Amino acid sequence: MSIQAFLYIVAVILLVLAALPIPSRGFSLALLGAACALLAYAWPVITG
């Protein structure tokens, strides 16, 4: 499994957890998932 695929899977898991009524103190799981998805999308350009 590539790093890009791993980052996408982590992003999906974080976004699913953000949709659940789980209290998270100090950080937003949705923002963390979105940042991870953006990193996965840009991975070929970063490592280019």
Side-chain angles (χ1 to χ4, degrees):
M1 180 181 342
S2 67
I3 293 176
Q4 188 177 15
F6 175 73
L7 288 172
Y8 273 126
I9 290 172
V10 169
V12 168
I13 290 171
L14 286 173
L15 290 173
V16 167
L17 287 177
L20 297 175
I22 299 172
S24 58
R25 297 181 182 181
F27 62 94
S28 171
L29 290 175
L31 285 177
L32 191 59
C36 193
L38 183 62
L39 178 63
Y41 179 76
W43 189 256
V45 176
I46 294 169
T47 58

